[in-house]
Amino acid sequence: MIAIYKKDQIIYTIADSGLNAEDAATLVNSLRDHTKKNKQAKWYMEMGDFKKEVKNTDGSPDFLFPESNRLKKIALVGDKIWQERFTELLLPFSEAHIKYFGPEDGNMASNWLEQASNSNSNSN
């Protein structure tokens, strides 16, 4: 299951038990919508227990969409193995600055994105 909410230029996504095909589609559609509306979009992605793997029967999520270049910063919060796998999915599609945070560092990740958003708020 995935929870998604937005605050200014940041889209927050939290997956507590892996991603299935429906979650992945929801995630990508939300990212598309968010980047259409924000030229300097940021993304907070937190994954809970990664032992349950990404369960996407349709293959990997396709992060290639017209406004994907507007995604400037990504904070990945979770275990290192999850971060490595998710980065493999993102790298072909994004030139965003990706920064990794441990499972207990969600507040630090959010602060990093908010600071980046505040310093770039005049760039919209």
Side-chain angles (χ1 to χ4, degrees), residues 18-96:
L19 295 174
N20 60 28
E22 184 178 329
D23 292 334
T26 299
L27 171 63
V28 172
N29 287 335
S30 295
L31 285 169
R32 284 181 181 147
D33 179 59
H34 188 67
T35 55
K36 282 180 185 177
K37 295 176 182 172
N38 294 281
K39 293 179 183 178
Q40 298 287 319
K42 315 297 190 282
W43 179 19
Y44 174 101
M45 178 61 187
E46 182 176 329
M47 179 72 83
D49 184 10
F50 191 72
K51 293 178 181 80
K52 296 181 181 176
E53 299 290 327
V54 175
K55 299 173 187 161
N56 186 350
T57 57
D58 298 327
S60 298
D62 184 2
F63 291 105
L64 180 60
F65 45 91
E67 293 85 7
S68 63
N69 63 332
R70 291 182 171 190
L71 194 55
K72 302 300 181 187
K73 299 214 179 218
I74 302 170
L76 294 178
V77 180
D79 293 328
K80 188 170 181 80
I81 191 166
W82 170 80
Q83 293 173 353
E84 291 171 357
R85 292 184 183 177
F86 209 80
T87 299
E88 289 174 8
L89 294 174
L90 287 172
L91 284 179
F93 307 111
S94 178
E95 295 180 11

Side-chain angles (χ1 to χ4, degrees), residues 8-9 40 42 114-124:
D8 302 322
Q9 296 175 323
Q40 298 287 319
K42 315 297 190 282
E114 288 174 9
Q115 289 173 350
S117 290
N118 291 339
S119 67
N120 289 328
S121 62
N122 296 331
S123 300
N124 285 342

